[in-house]
Amino acid sequence: MEKLLEQITGELLDKVIVESVDPQEPVQVRSVPKPWRLLGTGNYAAVFYHPGAAEYAVKVYAPGRPGLEEEAEVYRRLGPHPAFSECYYTGPGFLVLKRLNGVTFYDSMKRGILITEQAIEDIDKALQYARAQGLHPHDVHAKNVMLQDGRGLIVDVSDFLKQEDCSMWEDYKKAYYQLYRPVASRWMFPVPRLVLEMVRRGYRLWRRRKQWRNWLAHLKK
């Protein structure tokens, strides 16, 4: 771990460029120093790994983006669990996490890889466990959950301290059982990224309108 921390502070943080251009979209990574590799991006941070320490993932928050301390607290409450990562170290602007290997549901659909019902059930149980630890699962969607050997993993818990309700996972499950599973049981095919992005943006717009309608209905009471 000591050597990895030296590589993070001396190589990665010194040269990497992570920018948050739009709070509603993933951060943008402009530069990745060798030999570091980019694993993925979220709305707050980007995740990297070093080939010499591939069992670890380093999550680097974009300047000005909040949530690092909150995410560390979520991992403290979760403790070791097969469906979640673990936080090994908290540094200025970064976290060192246990690396989870697999394919996100989003990429599974893009590649035509079957998302198993077992994975859906695993994630349901993991979210129940998180609630039992006093957390409020939030922002659980196809880019934040992963398939590994047919089992389900949750790769982003950064918003689990938020108090408001979030229906993203329940909405995804409805789409899985009503649309995905009936089709996938007969015919598996890759879904173009353009189609997935259209669905993602359409869903986001639908959620905003739904929240707006709920707010208006609340005002009329």
Side-chain angles (χ1 to χ4, degrees):
M1 177 63 73
E2 184 176 347
K3 181 179 179 181
L4 177 62
L5 292 176
E6 291 177 357
Q7 291 170 327
I8 293 170
T9 56
E11 297 175 2
L12 181 62
L13 297 181
D14 202 35
K15 298 179 181 179
V16 73
I17 300 175
V18 180
E19 297 179 344
S20 178
V21 178
D22 182 347
Q24 300 300 321
E25 295 291 340
V27 299
Q28 297 181 14
V29 179
R30 306 293 189 187
S31 175
V32 181
K34 293 181 179 180
W36 288 87
R37 309 285 175 80
L38 176 66
L39 280 173
T41 58
N43 287 3
Y44 302 127
V47 182
F48 307 87
Y49 78 95
H50 191 288
E55 67 272 28
Y56 299 103
V58 181
K59 187 167 186 176
V60 179
Y61 271 69
R65 296 299 290 159
L68 185 147
E69 292 81 7
E70 289 83 356
E71 183 169 0
E73 171 61 16
V74 171
Y75 280 117
R76 187 193 68 78
R77 294 193 195 183
L78 287 172
H81 187 281
F84 294 103
S85 179
E86 296 179 50
C87 182
Y88 297 131
Y89 186 87
T90 303
F94 72 94
L95 301 173
V96 179
L97 308 174
K98 179 179 74 174
R99 182 181 173 187
L100 299 179
N101 295 294
V103 183
T104 66
F105 281 17
Y106 180 92
D107 284 336
S108 296
M109 290 185 286
K110 190 168 66 173
R111 299 181 193 178
I113 300 172
L114 178 67
I115 299 171
T116 64
E117 188 173 4
Q118 178 64 61
I120 301 293
E121 294 173 356
D122 288 341
I123 292 167
D124 264 341
K125 291 178 181 177
L127 295 177
Q128 291 173 10
Y129 168 81
R131 293 186 187 99
Q133 313 313 309
L135 299 169
H136 299 83
H138 194 94
D139 204 30
V140 182
H141 53 74
K143 287 189 174 183
N144 284 345
V145 293
M146 186 178 283
L147 186 70
Q148 181 187 56
D149 299 326
R151 305 304 297 258
L153 306 174
I154 300 173
V155 297
D156 192 343
V157 299
S158 55
D159 287 326
F160 276 31
L161 286 181
K162 289 186 175 181
Q163 296 298 310
E164 65 266 25
D165 294 332
C166 179
S167 64
M168 279 190 176
W169 176 244
E170 293 302 317
D171 292 338
Y172 184 86
K173 279 201 306 180
K174 289 178 183 177
Y176 176 87
Y177 284 109
Q178 295 176 11
L179 297 175
Y180 178 89
R181 190 181 176 198
V183 173
S185 63
R186 300 179 180 179
W187 182 35
M188 274 302 305
F189 59 92
V191 180
R193 182 179 181 277
L194 178 62
V195 174
L196 290 173
E197 284 300 304
M198 288 175 60
V199 172
R200 185 179 72 87
R201 293 175 186 273
Y203 171 71
R204 192 171 66 185
L205 180 60
W206 175 81
R207 286 188 73 244
R208 286 179 180 174
R209 289 179 175 175
K210 181 181 178 182
Q211 291 170 351
W212 178 251
R213 288 196 300 267
N214 291 341
W215 182 73
L216 288 177
H218 178 74
L219 288 179
K220 293 178 180 178
K221 290 183 179 180

